[in-house]
mmCIF file with all atom_site columns, all heavy atoms in Angstrom:
data_model
loop_
_atom_site.group_PDB
_atom_site.id
_atom_site.type_symbol
_atom_site.label_atom_id
_atom_site.label_alt_id
_atom_site.label_comp_id
_atom_site.label_asym_id
_atom_site.label_entity_id
_atom_site.label_seq_id
_atom_site.pdbx_PDB_ins_code
_atom_site.Cartn_x
_atom_site.Cartn_y
_atom_site.Cartn_z
_atom_site.occupancy
_atom_site.B_iso_or_equiv
_atom_site.pdbx_formal_charge
_atom_site.auth_seq_id
_atom_site.auth_comp_id
_atom_site.auth_asym_id
_atom_site.auth_atom_id
_atom_site.pdbx_PDB_model_num
ATOM 1   N N   . VAL H 1 233 ? -0.848 4.921  -18.450 1.00 0.00 ? 1604 VAL H N   1
ATOM 2   C CA  . VAL H 1 233 ? 0.437  5.542  -18.094 1.00 0.00 ? 1604 VAL H CA  1
ATOM 3   C C   . VAL H 1 233 ? 1.571  4.607  -18.513 1.00 0.00 ? 1604 VAL H C   1
ATOM 4   O O   . VAL H 1 233 ? 2.584  5.045  -19.076 1.00 0.00 ? 1604 VAL H O   1
ATOM 5   C CB  . VAL H 1 233 ? 0.513  5.839  -16.583 1.00 0.00 ? 1604 VAL H CB  1
ATOM 6   C CG1 . VAL H 1 233 ? 1.898  6.354  -16.202 1.00 0.00 ? 1604 VAL H CG1 1
ATOM 7   C CG2 . VAL H 1 233 ? -0.542 6.863  -16.180 1.00 0.00 ? 1604 VAL H CG2 1
ATOM 8   N N   . ALA H 1 234 ? 1.391  3.296  -18.275 1.00 0.00 ? 1605 ALA H N   1
ATOM 9   C CA  . ALA H 1 234 ? 2.425  2.336  -18.646 1.00 0.00 ? 1605 ALA H CA  1
ATOM 10  C C   . ALA H 1 234 ? 2.660  2.352  -20.156 1.00 0.00 ? 1605 ALA H C   1
ATOM 11  O O   . ALA H 1 234 ? 3.805  2.320  -20.613 1.00 0.00 ? 1605 ALA H O   1
ATOM 12  C CB  . ALA H 1 234 ? 2.023  0.938  -18.190 1.00 0.00 ? 1605 ALA H CB  1
ATOM 13  N N   . ALA H 1 235 ? 1.580  2.434  -20.923 1.00 0.00 ? 1606 ALA H N   1
ATOM 14  C CA  . ALA H 1 235 ? 1.711  2.433  -22.382 1.00 0.00 ? 1606 ALA H CA  1
ATOM 15  C C   . ALA H 1 235 ? 2.508  3.644  -22.850 1.00 0.00 ? 1606 ALA H C   1
ATOM 16  O O   . ALA H 1 235 ? 3.291  3.563  -23.796 1.00 0.00 ? 1606 ALA H O   1
ATOM 17  C CB  . ALA H 1 235 ? 0.329  2.415  -23.023 1.00 0.00 ? 1606 ALA H CB  1
ATOM 18  N N   . ALA H 1 236 ? 2.328  4.768  -22.149 1.00 0.00 ? 1607 ALA H N   1
ATOM 19  C CA  . ALA H 1 236 ? 3.003  6.002  -22.559 1.00 0.00 ? 1607 ALA H CA  1
ATOM 20  C C   . ALA H 1 236 ? 4.517  5.895  -22.423 1.00 0.00 ? 1607 ALA H C   1
ATOM 21  O O   . ALA H 1 236 ? 5.262  6.623  -23.072 1.00 0.00 ? 1607 ALA H O   1
ATOM 22  C CB  . ALA H 1 236 ? 2.485  7.177  -21.725 1.00 0.00 ? 1607 ALA H CB  1
ATOM 23  N N   . ARG H 1 237 ? 4.986  4.972  -21.574 1.00 0.00 ? 1608 ARG H N   1
ATOM 24  C CA  . ARG H 1 237 ? 6.421  4.863  -21.345 1.00 0.00 ? 1608 ARG H CA  1
ATOM 25  C C   . ARG H 1 237 ? 7.161  4.388  -22.587 1.00 0.00 ? 1608 ARG H C   1
ATOM 26  O O   . ARG H 1 237 ? 8.350  4.652  -22.747 1.00 0.00 ? 1608 ARG H O   1
ATOM 27  C CB  . ARG H 1 237 ? 6.707  3.889  -20.197 1.00 0.00 ? 1608 ARG H CB  1
ATOM 28  C CG  . ARG H 1 237 ? 6.281  4.409  -18.848 1.00 0.00 ? 1608 ARG H CG  1
ATOM 29  C CD  . ARG H 1 237 ? 6.552  3.378  -17.793 1.00 0.00 ? 1608 ARG H CD  1
ATOM 30  N NE  . ARG H 1 237 ? 7.957  3.035  -17.739 1.00 0.00 ? 1608 ARG H NE  1
ATOM 31  C CZ  . ARG H 1 237 ? 8.431  1.809  -17.625 1.00 0.00 ? 1608 ARG H CZ  1
ATOM 32  N NH1 . ARG H 1 237 ? 7.613  0.802  -17.559 1.00 0.00 ? 1608 ARG H NH1 1
ATOM 33  N NH2 . ARG H 1 237 ? 9.721  1.588  -17.581 1.00 0.00 ? 1608 ARG H NH2 1
ATOM 34  N N   . ASN H 1 238 ? 6.465  3.635  -23.437 1.00 0.00 ? 1609 ASN H N   1
ATOM 35  C CA  . ASN H 1 238 ? 7.155  3.036  -24.578 1.00 0.00 ? 1609 ASN H CA  1
ATOM 36  C C   . ASN H 1 238 ? 6.983  3.833  -25.856 1.00 0.00 ? 1609 ASN H C   1
ATOM 37  O O   . ASN H 1 238 ? 7.159  3.305  -26.946 1.00 0.00 ? 1609 ASN H O   1
ATOM 38  C CB  . ASN H 1 238 ? 6.644  1.613  -24.785 1.00 0.00 ? 1609 ASN H CB  1
ATOM 39  C CG  . ASN H 1 238 ? 6.838  0.787  -23.531 1.00 0.00 ? 1609 ASN H CG  1
ATOM 40  O OD1 . ASN H 1 238 ? 7.866  0.901  -22.875 1.00 0.00 ? 1609 ASN H OD1 1
ATOM 41  N ND2 . ASN H 1 238 ? 5.846  -0.001 -23.174 1.00 0.00 ? 1609 ASN H ND2 1
ATOM 42  N N   . VAL H 1 239 ? 6.599  5.103  -25.719 1.00 0.00 ? 1610 VAL H N   1
ATOM 43  C CA  . VAL H 1 239 ? 6.305  5.898  -26.903 1.00 0.00 ? 1610 VAL H CA  1
ATOM 44  C C   . VAL H 1 239 ? 7.493  6.800  -27.245 1.00 0.00 ? 1610 VAL H C   1
ATOM 45  O O   . VAL H 1 239 ? 8.034  7.475  -26.367 1.00 0.00 ? 1610 VAL H O   1
ATOM 46  C CB  . VAL H 1 239 ? 5.051  6.761  -26.671 1.00 0.00 ? 1610 VAL H CB  1
ATOM 47  C CG1 . VAL H 1 239 ? 4.831  7.685  -27.846 1.00 0.00 ? 1610 VAL H CG1 1
ATOM 48  C CG2 . VAL H 1 239 ? 3.848  5.876  -26.449 1.00 0.00 ? 1610 VAL H CG2 1
ATOM 49  N N   . PHE H 1 240 ? 7.896  6.767  -28.520 1.00 0.00 ? 1611 PHE H N   1
ATOM 50  C CA  . PHE H 1 240 ? 8.921  7.704  -28.981 1.00 0.00 ? 1611 PHE H CA  1
ATOM 51  C C   . PHE H 1 240 ? 8.423  8.404  -30.226 1.00 0.00 ? 1611 PHE H C   1
ATOM 52  O O   . PHE H 1 240 ? 7.848  7.757  -31.094 1.00 0.00 ? 1611 PHE H O   1
ATOM 53  C CB  . PHE H 1 240 ? 10.236 6.972  -29.271 1.00 0.00 ? 1611 PHE H CB  1
ATOM 54  C CG  . PHE H 1 240 ? 10.948 6.625  -28.000 1.00 0.00 ? 1611 PHE H CG  1
ATOM 55  C CD1 . PHE H 1 240 ? 10.841 5.343  -27.465 1.00 0.00 ? 1611 PHE H CD1 1
ATOM 56  C CD2 . PHE H 1 240 ? 11.685 7.572  -27.327 1.00 0.00 ? 1611 PHE H CD2 1
ATOM 57  C CE1 . PHE H 1 240 ? 11.480 5.032  -26.276 1.00 0.00 ? 1611 PHE H CE1 1
ATOM 58  C CE2 . PHE H 1 240 ? 12.334 7.259  -26.139 1.00 0.00 ? 1611 PHE H CE2 1
ATOM 59  C CZ  . PHE H 1 240 ? 12.228 5.978  -25.618 1.00 0.00 ? 1611 PHE H CZ  1
ATOM 60  N N   . PRO H 1 241 ? 8.606  9.695  -30.374 1.00 0.00 ? 1612 PRO H N   1
ATOM 61  C CA  . PRO H 1 241 ? 9.158  10.609 -29.373 1.00 0.00 ? 1612 PRO H CA  1
ATOM 62  C C   . PRO H 1 241 ? 8.224  10.754 -28.171 1.00 0.00 ? 1612 PRO H C   1
ATOM 63  O O   . PRO H 1 241 ? 7.060  10.418 -28.264 1.00 0.00 ? 1612 PRO H O   1
ATOM 64  C CB  . PRO H 1 241 ? 9.278  11.923 -30.144 1.00 0.00 ? 1612 PRO H CB  1
ATOM 65  C CG  . PRO H 1 241 ? 8.243  11.830 -31.207 1.00 0.00 ? 1612 PRO H CG  1
ATOM 66  C CD  . PRO H 1 241 ? 8.162  10.384 -31.583 1.00 0.00 ? 1612 PRO H CD  1
ATOM 67  N N   . VAL H 1 242 ? 8.785  11.283 -27.088 1.00 0.00 ? 1613 VAL H N   1
ATOM 68  C CA  . VAL H 1 242 ? 8.052  11.374 -25.831 1.00 0.00 ? 1613 VAL H CA  1
ATOM 69  C C   . VAL H 1 242 ? 6.712  12.086 -26.009 1.00 0.00 ? 1613 VAL H C   1
ATOM 70  O O   . VAL H 1 242 ? 6.640  13.131 -26.643 1.00 0.00 ? 1613 VAL H O   1
ATOM 71  C CB  . VAL H 1 242 ? 8.899  12.155 -24.802 1.00 0.00 ? 1613 VAL H CB  1
ATOM 72  C CG1 . VAL H 1 242 ? 8.161  12.233 -23.478 1.00 0.00 ? 1613 VAL H CG1 1
ATOM 73  C CG2 . VAL H 1 242 ? 10.232 11.491 -24.628 1.00 0.00 ? 1613 VAL H CG2 1
ATOM 74  N N   . ASN H 1 243 ? 5.639  11.476 -25.472 1.00 0.00 ? 1614 ASN H N   1
ATOM 75  C CA  . ASN H 1 243 ? 4.322  12.084 -25.507 1.00 0.00 ? 1614 ASN H CA  1
ATOM 76  C C   . ASN H 1 243 ? 3.845  12.273 -24.071 1.00 0.00 ? 1614 ASN H C   1
ATOM 77  O O   . ASN H 1 243 ? 3.258  11.382 -23.477 1.00 0.00 ? 1614 ASN H O   1
ATOM 78  C CB  . ASN H 1 243 ? 3.370  11.168 -26.288 1.00 0.00 ? 1614 ASN H CB  1
ATOM 79  C CG  . ASN H 1 243 ? 1.991  11.774 -26.428 1.00 0.00 ? 1614 ASN H CG  1
ATOM 80  O OD1 . ASN H 1 243 ? 1.689  12.808 -25.833 1.00 0.00 ? 1614 ASN H OD1 1
ATOM 81  N ND2 . ASN H 1 243 ? 1.141  11.128 -27.203 1.00 0.00 ? 1614 ASN H ND2 1
ATOM 82  N N   . VAL H 1 244 ? 4.156  13.461 -23.513 1.00 0.00 ? 1615 VAL H N   1
ATOM 83  C CA  . VAL H 1 244 ? 3.890  13.686 -22.094 1.00 0.00 ? 1615 VAL H CA  1
ATOM 84  C C   . VAL H 1 244 ? 2.398  13.612 -21.783 1.00 0.00 ? 1615 VAL H C   1
ATOM 85  O O   . VAL H 1 244 ? 1.986  13.047 -20.771 1.00 0.00 ? 1615 VAL H O   1
ATOM 86  C CB  . VAL H 1 244 ? 4.485  15.036 -21.640 1.00 0.00 ? 1615 VAL H CB  1
ATOM 87  C CG1 . VAL H 1 244 ? 4.080  15.351 -20.206 1.00 0.00 ? 1615 VAL H CG1 1
ATOM 88  C CG2 . VAL H 1 244 ? 6.000  14.995 -21.745 1.00 0.00 ? 1615 VAL H CG2 1
ATOM 89  N N   . SER H 1 245 ? 1.560  14.147 -22.683 1.00 0.00 ? 1616 SER H N   1
ATOM 90  C CA  . SER H 1 245 ? 0.114  14.163 -22.422 1.00 0.00 ? 1616 SER H CA  1
ATOM 91  C C   . SER H 1 245 ? -0.408 12.770 -22.107 1.00 0.00 ? 1616 SER H C   1
ATOM 92  O O   . SER H 1 245 ? -1.253 12.578 -21.240 1.00 0.00 ? 1616 SER H O   1
ATOM 93  C CB  . SER H 1 245 ? -0.648 14.684 -23.638 1.00 0.00 ? 1616 SER H CB  1
ATOM 94  O OG  . SER H 1 245 ? -0.113 15.887 -24.071 1.00 0.00 ? 1616 SER H OG  1
ATOM 95  N N   . GLN H 1 246 ? 0.105  11.795 -22.829 1.00 0.00 ? 1617 GLN H N   1
ATOM 96  C CA  . GLN H 1 246 ? -0.415 10.438 -22.693 1.00 0.00 ? 1617 GLN H CA  1
ATOM 97  C C   . GLN H 1 246 ? -0.174 9.874  -21.290 1.00 0.00 ? 1617 GLN H C   1
ATOM 98  O O   . GLN H 1 246 ? -0.966 9.077  -20.797 1.00 0.00 ? 1617 GLN H O   1
ATOM 99  C CB  . GLN H 1 246 ? 0.245  9.545  -23.747 1.00 0.00 ? 1617 GLN H CB  1
ATOM 100 C CG  . GLN H 1 246 ? -0.526 8.272  -24.000 1.00 0.00 ? 1617 GLN H CG  1
ATOM 101 C CD  . GLN H 1 246 ? 0.169  7.382  -25.013 1.00 0.00 ? 1617 GLN H CD  1
ATOM 102 O OE1 . GLN H 1 246 ? 0.893  7.855  -25.884 1.00 0.00 ? 1617 GLN H OE1 1
ATOM 103 N NE2 . GLN H 1 246 ? -0.056 6.091  -24.898 1.00 0.00 ? 1617 GLN H NE2 1
ATOM 104 N N   . ALA H 1 247 ? 0.924  10.292 -20.651 1.00 0.00 ? 1618 ALA H N   1
ATOM 105 C CA  . ALA H 1 247 ? 1.183  9.826  -19.286 1.00 0.00 ? 1618 ALA H CA  1
ATOM 106 C C   . ALA H 1 247 ? 0.575  10.780 -18.270 1.00 0.00 ? 1618 ALA H C   1
ATOM 107 O O   . ALA H 1 247 ? 0.096  10.373 -17.225 1.00 0.00 ? 1618 ALA H O   1
ATOM 108 C CB  . ALA H 1 247 ? 2.688  9.716  -19.055 1.00 0.00 ? 1618 ALA H CB  1
ATOM 109 N N   . LEU H 1 248 ? 0.608  12.086 -18.594 1.00 0.00 ? 1619 LEU H N   1
ATOM 110 C CA  . LEU H 1 248 ? 0.210  13.105 -17.624 1.00 0.00 ? 1619 LEU H CA  1
ATOM 111 C C   . LEU H 1 248 ? -1.258 12.993 -17.228 1.00 0.00 ? 1619 LEU H C   1
ATOM 112 O O   . LEU H 1 248 ? -1.585 12.925 -16.043 1.00 0.00 ? 1619 LEU H O   1
ATOM 113 C CB  . LEU H 1 248 ? 0.507  14.498 -18.212 1.00 0.00 ? 1619 LEU H CB  1
ATOM 114 C CG  . LEU H 1 248 ? 0.182  15.677 -17.305 1.00 0.00 ? 1619 LEU H CG  1
ATOM 115 C CD1 . LEU H 1 248 ? 1.112  15.703 -16.114 1.00 0.00 ? 1619 LEU H CD1 1
ATOM 116 C CD2 . LEU H 1 248 ? 0.286  16.990 -18.078 1.00 0.00 ? 1619 LEU H CD2 1
ATOM 117 N N   . PHE H 1 249 ? -2.149 12.955 -18.227 1.00 0.00 ? 1620 PHE H N   1
ATOM 118 C CA  . PHE H 1 249 ? -3.571 13.120 -17.902 1.00 0.00 ? 1620 PHE H CA  1
ATOM 119 C C   . PHE H 1 249 ? -4.220 11.927 -17.214 1.00 0.00 ? 1620 PHE H C   1
ATOM 120 O O   . PHE H 1 249 ? -4.972 12.129 -16.254 1.00 0.00 ? 1620 PHE H O   1
ATOM 121 C CB  . PHE H 1 249 ? -4.330 13.580 -19.149 1.00 0.00 ? 1620 PHE H CB  1
ATOM 122 C CG  . PHE H 1 249 ? -3.926 14.964 -19.570 1.00 0.00 ? 1620 PHE H CG  1
ATOM 123 C CD1 . PHE H 1 249 ? -3.266 15.191 -20.768 1.00 0.00 ? 1620 PHE H CD1 1
ATOM 124 C CD2 . PHE H 1 249 ? -4.169 16.057 -18.741 1.00 0.00 ? 1620 PHE H CD2 1
ATOM 125 C CE1 . PHE H 1 249 ? -2.862 16.467 -21.141 1.00 0.00 ? 1620 PHE H CE1 1
ATOM 126 C CE2 . PHE H 1 249 ? -3.774 17.334 -19.094 1.00 0.00 ? 1620 PHE H CE2 1
ATOM 127 C CZ  . PHE H 1 249 ? -3.119 17.544 -20.305 1.00 0.00 ? 1620 PHE H CZ  1
ATOM 128 N N   . PRO H 1 250 ? -3.954 10.685 -17.645 1.00 0.00 ? 1621 PRO H N   1
ATOM 129 C CA  . PRO H 1 250 ? -4.570 9.578  -16.882 1.00 0.00 ? 1621 PRO H CA  1
ATOM 130 C C   . PRO H 1 250 ? -4.100 9.570  -15.427 1.00 0.00 ? 1621 PRO H C   1
ATOM 131 O O   . PRO H 1 250 ? -4.902 9.349  -14.515 1.00 0.00 ? 1621 PRO H O   1
ATOM 132 C CB  . PRO H 1 250 ? -4.076 8.325  -17.608 1.00 0.00 ? 1621 PRO H CB  1
ATOM 133 C CG  . PRO H 1 250 ? -3.573 8.769  -18.924 1.00 0.00 ? 1621 PRO H CG  1
ATOM 134 C CD  . PRO H 1 250 ? -3.174 10.198 -18.787 1.00 0.00 ? 1621 PRO H CD  1
ATOM 135 N N   . GLY H 1 251 ? -2.814 9.845  -15.200 1.00 0.00 ? 1622 GLY H N   1
ATOM 136 C CA  . GLY H 1 251 ? -2.298 9.859  -13.833 1.00 0.00 ? 1622 GLY H CA  1
ATOM 137 C C   . GLY H 1 251 ? -2.861 11.010 -13.018 1.00 0.00 ? 1622 GLY H C   1
ATOM 138 O O   . GLY H 1 251 ? -3.151 10.874 -11.834 1.00 0.00 ? 1622 GLY H O   1
ATOM 139 N N   . LEU H 1 252 ? -3.027 12.158 -13.695 1.00 0.00 ? 1623 LEU H N   1
ATOM 140 C CA  . LEU H 1 252 ? -3.592 13.329 -13.017 1.00 0.00 ? 1623 LEU H CA  1
ATOM 141 C C   . LEU H 1 252 ? -5.030 13.033 -12.575 1.00 0.00 ? 1623 LEU H C   1
ATOM 142 O O   . LEU H 1 252 ? -5.431 13.356 -11.451 1.00 0.00 ? 1623 LEU H O   1
ATOM 143 C CB  . LEU H 1 252 ? -3.556 14.534 -13.962 1.00 0.00 ? 1623 LEU H CB  1
ATOM 144 C CG  . LEU H 1 252 ? -3.941 15.876 -13.349 1.00 0.00 ? 1623 LEU H CG  1
ATOM 145 C CD1 . LEU H 1 252 ? -2.959 16.262 -12.259 1.00 0.00 ? 1623 LEU H CD1 1
ATOM 146 C CD2 . LEU H 1 252 ? -3.987 16.956 -14.422 1.00 0.00 ? 1623 LEU H CD2 1
ATOM 147 N N   . ALA H 1 253 ? -5.791 12.390 -13.466 1.00 0.00 ? 1624 ALA H N   1
ATOM 148 C CA  . ALA H 1 253 ? -7.165 12.014 -13.122 1.00 0.00 ? 1624 ALA H CA  1
ATOM 149 C C   . ALA H 1 253 ? -7.164 11.105 -11.896 1.00 0.00 ? 1624 ALA H C   1
ATOM 150 O O   . ALA H 1 253 ? -7.928 11.291 -10.948 1.00 0.00 ? 1624 ALA H O   1
ATOM 151 C CB  . ALA H 1 253 ? -7.832 11.316 -14.302 1.00 0.00 ? 1624 ALA H CB  1
ATOM 152 N N   . MET H 1 254 ? -6.245 10.133 -11.926 1.00 0.00 ? 1625 MET H N   1
ATOM 153 C CA  . MET H 1 254 ? -6.111 9.201  -10.810 1.00 0.00 ? 1625 MET H CA  1
ATOM 154 C C   . MET H 1 254 ? -5.786 9.951  -9.515  1.00 0.00 ? 1625 MET H C   1
ATOM 155 O O   . MET H 1 254 ? -6.408 9.741  -8.475  1.00 0.00 ? 1625 MET H O   1
ATOM 156 C CB  . MET H 1 254 ? -4.978 8.241  -11.158 1.00 0.00 ? 1625 MET H CB  1
ATOM 157 C CG  . MET H 1 254 ? -4.542 7.328  -10.066 1.00 0.00 ? 1625 MET H CG  1
ATOM 158 S SD  . MET H 1 254 ? -5.304 5.736  -10.329 1.00 0.00 ? 1625 MET H SD  1
ATOM 159 C CE  . MET H 1 254 ? -6.108 5.506  -8.790  1.00 0.00 ? 1625 MET H CE  1
ATOM 160 N N   . ALA H 1 255 ? -4.787 10.850 -9.597  1.00 0.00 ? 1626 ALA H N   1
ATOM 161 C CA  . ALA H 1 255 ? -4.359 11.587 -8.404  1.00 0.00 ? 1626 ALA H CA  1
ATOM 162 C C   . ALA H 1 255 ? -5.513 12.422 -7.843  1.00 0.00 ? 1626 ALA H C   1
ATOM 163 O O   . ALA H 1 255 ? -5.738 12.448 -6.632  1.00 0.00 ? 1626 ALA H O   1
ATOM 164 C CB  . ALA H 1 255 ? -3.166 12.484 -8.746  1.00 0.00 ? 1626 ALA H CB  1
#
Side-chain angles (χ1 to χ4, degrees):
Chain H
V1604 174
R1608 291 178 59 223
N1609 303 320
V1610 174
F1611 284 99
V1613 181
N1614 183 352
V1615 174
S1616 309
Q1617 199 182 332
L1619 182 68
F1620 293 114
L1623 188 63
M1625 172 100 235

